[in-house]
Every structure is written in structure tokens, then in C-alpha cells.
Amino acid sequence: ISNKCATLGIICPATLFGDASASILRGEILENNQVTFIEYFPERSKLFEQIAQATLIFVLNKNKVTDQIELKNNANGNTTHLDFKFISKIFPNLEIPFISNEEWKILEKISKFKKIGEIPKIRNRRGELDLSILKYCISEKNTEYILLRGIDVSENHLNEREEFVDMEKFLKVKSQEYQKKDFGKIRIVGQQIANIDTTKRLKFAKTKPNYILGNSCNYLTVDKPLDIDWILSQLNSFLLNWRFKITSSNNHVNNYEIDDLPLIGKKPPKFNVKLDSIQQNILVCKSFGLDMIETKIILKDHFIETEIDNNYKEMFN
């Protein structure tokens, strides 16, 4: 388009404003032009025949500066007006999730905390045994070192199958860094694949020292003085699950996405592994600075509202 002041209306896949792989193009569009309006249509809208994916329509003015953007979400009817500087402060890669005004305020609160990738005492890696390349290391003989696959992981539970690892073969190909920093330690493990339509996509559990993790898993090694149970409680919370889902655009749980999650290192005095699920979730929300109304926004689809109220008041009033 030769006109330097042209206005364009563009239809494109929704991943343009969410997927990490589109960050360079997204930056070019938002930083070197003026985007004034973005409308989101979920996959179920079926705007076009034989096209099964979420879609965006956005308006762009060439060679102007993006300042205020109007976001409209056809999935729920929400309309939000955001300052571009506010978006870029929270998301350096300029992702734009289509969430409500109240959710943007929650996002602002939790974004003030360090991200997992910024915490030196946590190592976030993919599982150490490549199930294809290192298939020859897998054994039916009980070597006392148990192979764990992503499918074996659920929230706070691991399924042990009759698969073991020949450690003589395995350790020959593993780095000294892995053997020093990860091998033989209790770690936090999660699935590397989690269906995008699943309500709870982040599911983590604690391993035993003799578990070897397949590359269909992600894991975190947590060093002291951090408390591994408190870290696990946050990773399994509906708050971090919500934060993950608003920018995840496919079925993978990528390590860079885990690195981008906020985390509180210091364990709060009220934390105890014996707290039930609703109490742990409320405590995580409160620790991140959410008030009762914001806590209910995050938890209302998972617990009865009166139970949230009663537990919140019992814990903090």
C-alpha cells in the first residue's frame, strides 16, 4: 500500500497477538503503526467455512503511534480500553489477551512479582530422557530408577508404571551440570502437553529422588531456602493456571511460558501442606495481593462462592 497515511482493516488468526512466534511481526505492527481497535472471535464463532481457529479483526493506521487500543471480545461481550504503555509494561513481547477490565487489574498486581525465570534458586527444564533418541536406555528390568512420562502426571499425584532406566547407559550421555544440579533430587514435575481446552492446564506434583523424567515432562528443581511445597502450591493454583491460559495459544506447556509465570519465593506464615484446595488457592491469591472480589473472579468457576467467602473470612478476618 503506497499511501503513507492509509487505514487498514485486517482479518488474521488470533495467534498474531498472542503467540511467541509472532512477537517480531506483532512488534512491527504495534510499535511502527497505530492500532486502534482489535476484535476477537473464538474458534466456535466459525466466521469462515472450513476454518477452525480463533480469529481477529483489527484496525491499523499506517505511520502513526499506538496509544489507546479498544479491545472487544466476542466470546463474552467484554469491551476494554487499554493504554499501550500499560500493555508493553506487563508484556514485553506485546501479547494482548482478551480479558475483562477487572482481570487486567489482577494481571497488573501479579506482574509486580518476580518471574520464575528471574529466580536463581529455581531451574526450569524439560525432562531429561528423550523418549525417541534415548529409547535404548529404557528397560523392563527393575533398576530402581523409574521412568516417568507426561501422561503419568496429574495434580499432586504421579502414576508409576513398570518402566525403568538403565542408569549406566543413561548417565553416559548426560551433562555434568544435570548430574550435579538435578539428578537424584526431589523436583516438581508437570506435563509438557496439556490440551488448550482443558480447564486446568497446569498440573504439577513432587517427584521422588529416583525418578527419571521423559521429555514429555517439564520439571523445576527448587533449592533452599525456597520451600518446595509452597512453590508447588502456587504452580497448582487456579491463579497461575489463569495467568498461563490467557497467553497460551497451543497445546504445549513450554518452558519459556513457565519462566514467565510470577512466583512468590517467601513462604507465608499461614501456609501449611495440610490446607485443603480452596484454602491453598485463597492463600495464593491473597499472597499476590488480590482482595476478596478479585479472588472470587479467579476462583468462582472452581468453587462455590459462599465457600470462597467463608474460607476467606475465616483465614483473614
Side-chain angles (χ1 to χ4, degrees), residues 201-202 240-248 252-253 257:
R201 295 194 62 201
L202 295 185
L240 291 200
N241 186 71
W242 168 81
R243 168 61 187 86
F244 174 80
K245 289 187 72 173
I246 62 174
T247 53
S248 176
H252 285 79
V253 181
E257 292 175 300

Side-chain angles (χ1 to χ4, degrees), residues 253-292:
V253 181
N254 296 291
N255 290 105
Y256 69 81
E257 292 175 300
I258 296 174
D259 267 342
D260 208 37
L261 294 174
L263 203 71
I264 299 172
K266 187 176 181 180
K267 180 178 69 172
K270 289 183 180 290
F271 176 72
N272 188 308
V273 291
K274 293 182 180 180
L275 293 175
D276 61 24
S277 178
I278 188 170
Q279 292 171 330
Q280 290 202 30
N281 273 280
I282 289 172
L283 181 57
V284 169
C285 288
K286 180 70 173 178
S287 298
F288 275 100
L290 276 60
D291 60 28
M292 183 187 285

Side-chain angles (χ1 to χ4, degrees), residues 227-245:
D227 184 281
I228 192 171
D229 291 309
W230 168 235
I231 303 302
L232 177 62
S233 181
Q234 292 176 79
L235 288 168
N236 278 332
S237 69
F238 285 110
L239 178 60
L240 291 200
N241 186 71
W242 168 81
R243 168 61 187 86
F244 174 80
K245 289 187 72 173

Side-chain angles (χ1 to χ4, degrees), residues 76 78 98-107 109-110 199 237-243 246 281-282 285-286 290-306 308-309 312:
N76 52 29
N78 284 336
F98 289 83
I99 55 179
S100 67
N101 286 308
E102 293 77 14
E103 288 175 304
W104 274 102
K105 291 175 183 176
I106 293 172
L107 192 54
K109 283 188 175 182
I110 69 175
T199 299
S237 69
F238 285 110
L239 178 60
L240 291 200
N241 186 71
W242 168 81
R243 168 61 187 86
I246 62 174
N281 273 280
I282 289 172
C285 288
K286 180 70 173 178
L290 276 60
D291 60 28
M292 183 187 285
I293 293 173
E294 292 166 332
T295 298
K296 286 197 283 190
I297 289 173
I298 297 298
L299 301 184
K300 62 181 172 60
D301 294 332
H302 312 291
F303 302 102
I304 298 171
E305 192 167 333
T306 53
I308 300 172
D309 284 331
Y312 192 101

